[in-house]
Amino acid sequence: MATRMREPTFWILTALAPQPRHGYGVIQQTTQLSGGTVTLQAGTLYAALDRLTAEGLIEIDRDEIVDGRTRRYYRLTSDGAEALGAETERLRRSLEAATSQLATRRRFGLGLADAQRVAW
């Protein structure tokens, strides 16, 4: 059984899924895709990018010089896409289980706030 992927890792891989991005682009896309729940700091991002590169989940796509500074682009590898797909499936199963349990609760006429009053 695969281990649960850390949330920042999930969002970094998700940000890189459609196309290569440079570090700041990954930060922006991660924030946007997560609805602002994950905001990566540069130090955290680059440590994660180094780790994900070492694990073979991403790789360097290219380097560009912009305004005299090097901008490194990263892309998702096939192993990274497979890992992201597996985590997406794990999350989908979790979502389905929770949705089913909440639907059962509603069938009993209970709202979300009734949990404290009811002993199953």
Side-chain angles (χ1 to χ4, degrees):
M1 180 177 184
T3 60
R4 181 182 181 278
M5 187 179 285
R6 290 179 271 184
E7 189 173 16
T9 298
F10 173 80
W11 289 114
I12 291 168
L13 296 181
T14 300
L16 291 172
Q19 67 188 42
R21 296 183 192 280
H22 56 79
Y24 185 64
V26 172
I27 289 173
Q28 290 178 310
Q29 189 69 4
T30 297
T31 301
Q32 179 184 356
L33 290 169
S34 72
T37 62
V38 174
T39 304
L40 298 171
Q41 301 301 313
T44 302
L45 172 70
Y46 288 104
L49 292 173
D50 287 345
R51 178 180 53 80
L52 294 170
T53 300
E55 292 173 1
L57 300 178
I58 65 171
E59 61 191 5
I60 296 169
D61 182 69
R62 68 187 183 279
D63 289 333
E64 285 182 353
I65 304 298
V66 178
D67 296 328
R69 298 178 67 188
T70 302
R71 184 180 282 178
R72 177 163 284 170
Y73 285 75
Y74 296 86
R75 70 173 167 251
L76 194 64
T77 63
S78 56
D79 285 348
E82 187 175 316
L84 180 59
E87 180 66 3
T88 300
E89 179 60 23
R90 186 192 71 76
L91 290 169
R92 186 192 61 73
R93 287 190 311 268
S94 296
L95 175 65
E96 286 178 357
T99 300
S100 173
Q101 294 301 301
L102 287 170
T104 298
R105 180 178 179 75
R106 285 189 293 275
R107 281 194 297 275
F108 285 107
L110 301 172
L112 295 178
D114 294 322
Q116 308 237 328
R117 294 185 296 136
V118 177
W120 295 95

